Amino acid sequence: MTHYHTADAVTRVVSEKTAGRDTGGAVDAIWINGANFISMKENGLLFGPFAEELPNWRYVDTTANPAVLTDFTVPVEGFGAPWAMFQMVFEYDSASLSEPPKSAVALTAWASANPGRFTYPQPPDFLGTSFLKQLLYGVLEDPEVLQSAIVDTDYEAVTAPLWAYLDNLHPNLWRQGQVFPENEPALGALLADDEIDIAFSFNPGRASAAIADGTLQDTVRTYVWDAGTIGNSSFLSIPYNAANKAGALVLANLILDPEIQARAQDPAILGFQTVLGMDLLGVEDRARFDALDLGIATLPPAQMGTALLEPHPDWMTRIAQDWTARYGTAP
Amino acid sequence: MSATRFAPALTIALLTGPVIAGCIGIVLPAFGYLPALGGLALSLEPWRALLDWPGLGIAVRHSIATGVSATGIALFITLLILAAWQGSRVFVAITRALSPLLSVPHAAAALGLAFLLAPSGWIARALSPWATGWQRPPDLLIVNDPLGLTLIAGLVIKEVPFLLLMSIAALSQIDSGRTLLLTQTMGYGRIMGWVKVVLPQLYPQIRLPVMAVLAYSVSVVDMAMILGPTRPPTLAVQILDWMGNPDLAYRFQASAAAVLQLFVAAAALLAWRLTEGGVAQLSQRWLTAGARGRHVDRVARPVALGLAGLSVGAVAFGLAGLAVWSFAGLWRFPDLWPQTLNLQTWDRQATGLTGAITQTVIIGLLATGAAIVLTLACLQAEYRRDAAVRRALLVLYVPLLVPQVAFVPGLTTLTLIAGVAPSVWLVALVHLVFVLPYVFLSLSDPWRTWDRRAGVVAHALGASHSRVFWAVRLPMLSRAIAVACAVGFATSVAQYLPTLLISAGRIDTLTTEAVALGSGGNRRVIGAYALAQMLAPFVGFALALGIPALLWRNRQGMRVT
């Protein structure tokens, strides 16, 4: 078994297609999301649809959890099987902060009262741009516009409140916004070092896992914003020319098995959020999830709030570019 | 030994070939030509894209400002130490303390320094809260500061040992001890006498190493990634960023930036050279005006000692801090020491570390092995033939003067086009380009100063040239050879850019892992990798000193004194 980066695996399939190798391809299954998924789906490089035919699909809750049906606004249409849910949660040190801010507006107010105690990873880092998307949801009157590709005339008007918000927030950031942490681990390290009071992550179990590891103080807790936080589902897809399609299908089905999902949600194993609906499970399987100790800082599923849909990938690219021009190259 | 005749030519080809090929490999895409990525016609589009990037001016300024200041400060400290203490017992102690720093990889030193200086780092912890009142880390911008001061500090502590050891080697060529004595009998202060009489003789001898330091400093990648400015980073770091962008179209822009980096380095070297001339001109009258400057010594000698101590201390405490982190449980600010110590980090990283160590050692041994064979063959050729070979071998400095980030990306592009799959062999071959100059530099002096009379005696006893080489010269110089191997191995261990780019990110060595982790901020894991990265060359040096001693333990005359 070879481990590729997703982009490498995609490149591999593309070059196989170019070389006319339409069967016996080297990649059997890929964890794929966002721009990579779209480009493969649109170019006919994926096998399927298969996901909704999997025997274990019946446990997937598509009503309460529509993110399993779309990937960054693009309908999956069975070309990928969901295997884990990720949702942004904020992490704060309850020892020094009793009432963390639960909206974009509350965050700037809190930051101006507590300068230097909040920051976010520098875009184009994935978590950094995700935070900007989260802010967009907070400052836009009608976030529905994020669900389609950018119409050029709209872009300036839609994002203007975001830049105004950031102009206001940055002077109160950690190091006055003169420098930003590079990525999620760096942000988490700042929380552990007590350099900041609030951090965030796409993995709701990250804080608990770090506390269990002894690398984060056990007073850290997680929370979500009142209006919800960005969530997405991770998908497993099968290339059109996979040499072992049957095996890949078995794998995709197995990952949706309640026993395996429960094991994956165990913070001691992976701590990933399940894609299954609890009320679709049998008594025995539901008990497996109930028995899980999610960890001291992890919110129970009922308190995770609304999972906001990922904006169309266009937004991420354009906003990251704009961010760099505005804030990324200041002396 | 007739094979040695071709050694210099082969060596020069192996060193300059990749540099030239790499430069071609970036110049063509910089002008839009790279058929593999759809660039079929020459155009100025990459340059337009580069100039459109809003951070360009600042990135270039960062590169020049940090590189030139670091070189200037490192040279100043080196000369101050030499002027203040050369020939004394303290001087021997200083060089003993500084020389191990030479083997510490740049990335490890940078990671250690980052931990030491960060507002949540060891210095702040040691002073808090009793002296500072800080219950929490202060919101101070130290690491990644926009002026690059931390980057300059990092470069300085790594370059002072290098310049100092190069200077010591050069001092043996000039009769500095007696000259210095003479100035003192004429009433000059120690430092003033040294600066006025020894320095003008010494500088031309160390000009090339100084230039190598300058070229390195304006284009350094690993240290700049860890300590340097981030909005925008230095030009070299930005090039790497574009080279690694999943959107392959950025390769064109990156190539144009790499060409620009070449000009930046060349401009810095030229400006330095002109400044040298200016300083020499301006100082002429002062040199002969006769001021004795005895009062300088009282202040400058302790300052020199302090600066040397600071360099050693920064690296030593930084690495010690990372070592502690690798065993730390919860370790909150402002605790000076972790609440608990455990083996968890090492335990979890064991698999990754073992893999990285294996790759590092294999590549290091391959590159060092090839370098030592070529170096010995070249030196033997030089010994048996003429000074022309010696002059030709100055070419060895080329890979040290051309910025890595300017030609390694081009080399990578060429391997891509040629369809050569990344492998440890390929990486080792590219490491050789950087390992060989250092192996040659460290072995050539002992080799050239070898007492030839031993050879004459052996010849008189009927030994052939090759028998003299194998049975007399090699054993007598075994210690110098072992040290040169250790230097080569340390050089290979520290290579970041060539490893990352040539292996297309597929081969993880201790250095690529340590630098990649450096951005993540998980100090425990960073600590483990930085420590392993530092220990690898250290083991090399221990073996280099130990093996000859063991080999010749019953030879009185070979004893190391």
Side-chain angles (χ1 to χ4, degrees), chain B residues 74 78 112-113 146 148 191 200 203 221 232 249 306 312 325 334 402 433 451 453 472 493 501 506 519 521 550 561:
Chain B
T78 307
L113 191 66
I191 293 175
Y203 189 79
V221 171
V312 178
W325 266 109
V402 180
V433 175
D451 190 346
R453 286 174 302 183
V472 183
V493 170
L501 291 181
R506 302 280 172 78
S519 65
L550 203 66
T561 45

Side-chain angles (χ1 to χ4, degrees), chain B residues 8 12 381-383 385-395 448:
Chain B
I12 289 167
E382 171 194 297
Y383 163 66
R385 281 169 194 90
D386 51 278
V389 173
R390 188 166 178 162
R391 274 197 302 279
L393 287 172
L394 283 176
V395 172
R448 285 166 184 160

Side-chain angles (χ1 to χ4, degrees), chain A residues 122 328-331, chain B residues 53-60 62 228-234 238:
Chain A
Q122 178 164 341
T329 53
Chain B
W53 179 58
L56 186 65
I58 306 165
V60 170
H62 280 334
T230 55
R231 295 188 319 140
T234 60
Q238 189 61 45

